Amino acid sequence: MLSHHLQGALSDLRDLIQITESDIADIKEAKNDQQFERLSLKEEKLKSFESKKAMIDHEISTLMTEQPDKDLPQLLNQEQHKALDELKIELSNLRDVNKRYAKFVLSVSNLYNTFLERLVPTEMQGYNKVASKNPSILEVRV
């Protein structure tokens, strides 16, 4: 059963990486709708991975409880060791892809915020920025 959960978790991680790679390609071309459409799929894959990870933890805990005199490496077979190593690699890959995606998201966010600030002037009221009380919503700035 542990091997089954490990393979399922690996599949979910690889799917998440592929979805995030698609998000990166789409954000470069300003295809926001496709990114938003994939959000529910991404959330579903993430929940599935978290569930499988919990099952993996439970299976390993059960193995260790049943055989307390053995260390974890002795309890797992070669296939399970290999799957755990792959899991570490894929988690690292997902982290790297998410970092790349986050850089694009931050850049696009800053760009939109700059445009918005130029189109709709704001002023500070304490620590908050609020739209200017100027009767005209648009103000030409040079």
Side-chain angles (χ1 to χ4, degrees):
M1 200 61 167
L2 177 60
S3 296
H4 173 73
H5 296 313
L6 286 167
Q7 292 307 317
L10 277 168
S11 175
D12 288 342
L13 279 177
R14 290 177 179 140
D15 289 345
L16 282 166
I17 290 169
Q18 198 281 322
I19 291 168
T20 306
E21 290 284 0
S22 297
D23 287 345
I24 290 171
D26 286 343
I27 201 169
K28 287 179 179 180
E29 297 180 19
K31 295 180 180 176
N32 300 333
D33 292 340
Q34 289 91 337
Q35 292 175 66
F36 293 128
E37 289 170 5
R38 283 191 292 269
L39 273 177
S40 61
L41 177 62
K42 209 173 191 180
E43 289 172 358
E44 178 184 313
K45 288 291 179 182
L46 186 58
K47 286 179 184 176
S48 175
F49 171 75
E50 289 172 345
S51 171
K52 288 174 182 147
K53 185 193 172 300
M55 289 186 258
I56 291 167
D57 291 344
H58 176 73
E59 291 290 329
I60 289 174
S61 177
T62 302
L63 282 173
M64 293 181 79
T65 303
E66 290 172 353
Q67 300 178 23
D69 55 324
K70 291 185 179 181
D71 292 331
L72 181 61
Q74 296 170 328
L75 296 173
L76 304 178
N77 63 33
Q78 188 64 29
E79 176 188 333
Q80 293 165 336
H81 280 289
K82 183 180 175 192
L84 282 172
D85 289 340
E86 287 179 34
L87 200 60
K88 288 178 192 174
I89 291 168
E90 294 301 335
L91 280 167
S92 178
N93 290 342
L94 180 61
R95 185 193 73 222
D96 293 342
V97 169
N98 278 333
K99 277 183 175 180
R100 280 194 359 246
Y101 182 57
K103 288 179 184 178
F104 283 107
V105 169
L106 186 59
S107 296
V108 169
S109 174
N110 286 338
L111 177 69
Y112 282 126
N113 287 336
T114 300
F115 287 156
L116 183 61
E117 175 66 28
R118 289 185 180 176
L119 288 174
V120 181
T122 59
E123 54 189 41
M124 295 297 291
Q125 285 187 351
Y127 290 106
N128 298 322
K129 278 188 177 182
V130 295
S132 177
K133 293 179 182 167
N134 194 350
S136 169
I137 189 160
L138 295 178
E139 177 181 299
V140 178
R141 292 185 182 177
V142 182

